Amino acid sequence: MVFYFSGTGNSLWVARTLAHKLGDEVASLVDYWDEDFWRCDDEVVGFVMPTYMNDVPWLVKRVLENLELTHPRFCYAVMTSSHGKSGQAFTSMDMALQQAGGRLHAGYDVQMPGNCLVSTKEENEGRLAAAPVAVAVVADAVKRETCTWRSRAALPPDDFVESSYFYGTHSLRRLTYMKDFEITDACTGCGLCARLCPTCNIDMVDGRAVHGDVCTACYACLHWCPQQATRLKVPFLRDKRFQYHHPDVTAEDLLYE
């Protein structure tokens, strides 16, 4: 099984491509968002997700806290990011999988167009062109069950979040800053953003999108809005961050309700 979390479709595309090469199936981690307990009996288990603030998205951490792995022979993680670097992510995945009854055996980075930081269309085209080869390399390594990650001693459960760079004071402040959206008058109240939100954090009030405080910073609302009515308030991103979503993924592929 290949589990994924995706906002713009990058990680979904990687998960689908990888699963096709491996003869596996894909499943969204968001499907387990409301589960107090869930179990995976597969011997080879993969996780594909974007890198947020040099770490695993907090929603993924929350979901993995309730996972039990029963026969984990080989567990791997694929992190997509604009820089092709995953920072703290593999350490966090290893801690999560140890608590679930397994460990991280291998971690792979795949550079893709980012959903937050500004990049040019030329840069994005280059990353998309290189991605199939990168995923093919990952698939070959997984088939061989090549270990690339050495687990360290598991931390106590209470330290799982606190030890992460992602949840450090500086990064948490930055993350909160990056969740600050504005809805322009272009909003038609179509509700697509609400249906795409993995945490059901967006409500339609009087025909207008209203954000709550359970944002996972996936930016699906920003990148899929047909009217481009969702914008970040962050000054250096507000007017420079153009919409992007993977060309082989549709909004319907990512709908949660």
Side-chain angles (χ1 to χ4, degrees):
M1 182 66 73
V2 181
F3 295 99
Y4 70 89
F5 172 63
S6 189
T8 58
N10 283 338
S11 294
L12 173 54
W13 177 84
V14 171
R16 283 177 170 174
T17 304
L18 190 56
H20 176 73
K21 293 180 179 296
L22 297 173
D24 289 342
E25 298 180 355
V26 299
S28 173
L29 287 167
V30 178
D31 292 342
Y32 303 92
W33 165 246
D34 292 325
E35 299 292 333
D36 293 329
F37 170 82
W38 62 291
R39 185 175 69 185
C40 179
D41 297 324
D42 290 0
E43 294 184 351
V44 178
V45 188
F47 300 89
V48 183
M49 69 201 74
T51 306
Y52 290 170
M53 305 289 282
N54 294 303
D55 205 346
V56 173
W58 71 261
L59 180 146
V60 173
K61 288 189 176 185
R62 180 78 60 82
V63 170
L64 293 182
E65 286 177 346
N66 298 319
L67 167 65
E68 178 185 344
L69 296 168
T70 58
H71 304 291
R73 186 178 74 240
F74 185 78
C75 298
Y76 65 93
V78 181
M79 304 300 301
T80 61
S81 63
S82 59
H83 292 311
K85 299 178 181 179
S86 52
Q88 166 81 17
F90 295 136
T91 298
S92 294
M93 283 300 300
D94 189 26
M95 287 190 283
L97 295 177
Q98 285 189 52
Q99 291 184 39
R103 71 177 182 90
L104 184 68
H105 295 89
Y108 313 97
D109 287 303
V110 175
Q111 188 174 26
M112 298 288 282
N115 72 341
C116 177
L117 298 180
V118 177
S119 55
T120 67
K121 291 184 178 180
E122 291 73 21
E123 287 175 326
N124 289 348
E125 289 172 358
R127 294 167 186 172
L128 288 172
V133 174
V135 176
V137 170
V138 173
D140 288 342
V142 172
K143 287 178 182 178
R144 297 193 304 269
E145 297 186 13
T146 304
C147 292
T148 64
W149 180 262
R150 179 177 294 179
S151 292
R152 66 179 186 178
L155 295 174
D158 290 344
D159 290 338
F160 173 47
V161 169
E162 297 303 328
S163 66
S164 168
Y165 169 79
F166 180 88
Y167 283 93
T169 303
H170 175 64
S171 289
L172 188 57
R173 186 183 305 116
R174 288 176 60 200
L175 178 64
T176 302
Y177 191 41
M178 305 301 259
K179 292 178 180 179
D180 201 2
F181 297 95
E182 67 176 1
I183 309 300
T184 72
D185 291 338
C187 178
T188 62
C190 71
L192 179 61
C193 58
R195 297 167 63 206
L196 285 168
C197 182
T199 59
C200 299
N201 187 53
I202 303 174
D203 293 317
M204 304 309 299
V205 180
D206 296 329
R208 194 180 184 89
V210 177
H211 288 239
D213 57 1
V214 195
C215 176
T216 191
C218 72
Y219 291 0
C221 56
L222 184 155
H223 290 289
W224 292 98
C225 176
Q227 306 301 324
Q228 300 187 41
T230 301
R231 297 201 303 177
L232 283 163
K233 290 184 179 179
V234 184
F236 66 93
L237 294 176
R238 178 177 174 179
D239 299 318
K240 296 181 180 180
R241 175 68 254 190
F242 57 83
Q243 281 187 319
Y244 162 82
H245 49 77
H246 196 281
D248 294 333
V249 175
T250 67
E252 287 70 25
D253 293 328
L254 293 168
L255 293 178
Y256 297 115
E257 59 179 37

